[in-house]
Amino acid sequence: GMPPKPFSGMFTVVDLYESKMSEYDSSFAFVPIEELQRVRGMIDPTTNIASVSAIQIRLKDEANLTACREKLRARFPANVVPYHVQSWKDMQGPLLAAVQMETTLLNILLFLIIFVAGFGILATFYMIVVEKTRDIGILKSLGASSSGIMSIFLGYGMSLCTVGTGVGIVIGLVFVAYINQIADIVSVLTGQEVFNPEFYYFTEIPTIVSPIMVALVALGAISIAILAAVLPALRAARLHPVEALRYE
């Protein structure tokens, strides 16, 4: 029933700790819990029982966070005991939602870029078919089948997309591996910090390489490139040798 008032205490700094999370490093200090309870008046003078305001539980990496939270809530229901059980995902909900939205938008932009590249391949192959009309006519007049002509262009498209996808994956993985060094170079060249820890909560850019995502991107790029090569290959296969050589 007493109004709150500030307390002060004298502590000796014995060491420094960095968690690599600027949000925590800028606001947390670790002190002996008994001394902190005494300063904050959290020890009952009659029973000498000390209290705490929160208990943090660290789980193993393979533990199911949601299942553990629900078990604790079932053991300590909010309508019976004055405890509020929540996970770190619940506490960082808005931030995680924003990150998930950014990830989704980046994936959409990535596949849009791949689609644009696919249209570029489509236009390039059409130009090749137009330029090689005379050669296609000669091959057909010598007995080349339509399926053979089509397989030439499809094989060229497959080789082009396979080499391009492989080179892109290698460049992307190297970029991810040295992204922090690249960010430092860009910061020096531009004079502005690319990755500010005060905004992003991390001292360096965190990266995770997902083999499944890499495989999906590679498969999508190859599929789109092959589909872009199908229409020009069909046009080349349907060319009649007489029509192809009429104006040559």
Side-chain angles (χ1 to χ4, degrees):
M2 298 178 61
K5 57 181 179 179
F7 286 89
S8 62
M10 297 293 294
F11 297 93
T12 302
V13 178
V14 296
D15 202 354
L16 299 177
Y17 170 74
E18 186 178 12
S19 66
K20 306 296 184 180
M21 284 282 291
S22 61
E23 181 183 11
Y24 298 143
D25 294 336
S26 61
S27 58
F28 274 81
F30 297 90
V31 299
I33 188 171
E34 296 83 4
E35 185 65 18
L36 182 64
Q37 289 170 331
R38 184 190 64 80
V39 172
R40 296 189 61 183
M42 300 177 69
I43 301 177
D44 192 339
T46 58
T47 60
N48 202 31
I49 296 178
S51 302
V52 295
S53 58
I55 298 176
Q56 292 187 356
I57 301 174
R58 180 176 180 178
L59 304 178
K60 295 180 179 180
D61 292 339
E62 64 273 10
N64 190 325
L65 181 64
T66 304
C68 293
R69 182 194 63 187
E70 295 305 321
K71 287 182 179 180
L72 287 173
R73 286 181 176 177
R75 176 64 180 81
F76 304 102
N79 57 349
V80 178
V81 295
Y83 303 144
H84 180 58
V85 181
Q86 59 181 352
S87 66
W88 67 270
K89 288 186 177 180
D90 299 328
M91 299 174 62
Q92 302 290 343
L95 177 62
L96 293 176
V99 172
Q100 183 64 36
M101 178 62 69
E102 291 178 358
T103 304
T104 304
L105 292 176
L106 285 175
N107 289 332
I108 294 174
L109 290 175
L110 177 62
F111 279 98
L112 286 177
I113 292 172
I114 295 176
F115 271 113
V116 172
F119 280 111
I121 295 174
L122 178 64
T124 301
F125 272 39
Y126 260 111
M127 293 298 298
I128 293 175
V129 171
V130 172
E131 292 178 357
K132 300 297 181 179
T133 299
R134 178 174 178 273
D135 300 319
I136 295 172
I138 293 174
L139 287 174
K140 281 205 163 187
S141 64
L142 293 176
S145 63
S146 298
S147 59
I149 297 296
M150 186 174 181
S151 64
I152 293 175
F153 285 92
L154 286 180
Y156 180 62
M158 290 182 63
S159 61
L160 178 65
C161 67
T162 302
V163 173
T165 302
V167 173
I169 289 176
V170 171
I171 295 175
L173 293 177
V174 171
F175 183 86
V176 169
Y178 295 97
I179 190 170
N180 288 286
Q181 292 82 347
I182 295 173
D184 294 337
I185 295 174
V186 174
S187 299
V188 172
L189 295 176
T190 60
Q192 296 181 353
E193 192 171 7
V194 175
F195 191 81
N196 192 341
E198 295 181 359
F199 298 152
Y200 299 101
Y201 303 143
F202 292 99
T203 56
E204 59 182 13
I205 302 175
T207 58
I208 297 177
V209 177
S210 174
I212 296 177
M213 181 59 67
V214 173
L216 289 176
V217 172
L219 182 62
I222 293 175
S223 301
I224 292 174
I226 292 176
L227 290 175
V230 168
L231 291 179
L234 285 174
R235 185 177 186 277
R238 291 175 179 177
L239 280 176
H240 196 277
V242 176
E243 294 292 334
L245 297 175
R246 173 177 294 179
Y247 302 105
E248 299 294 336

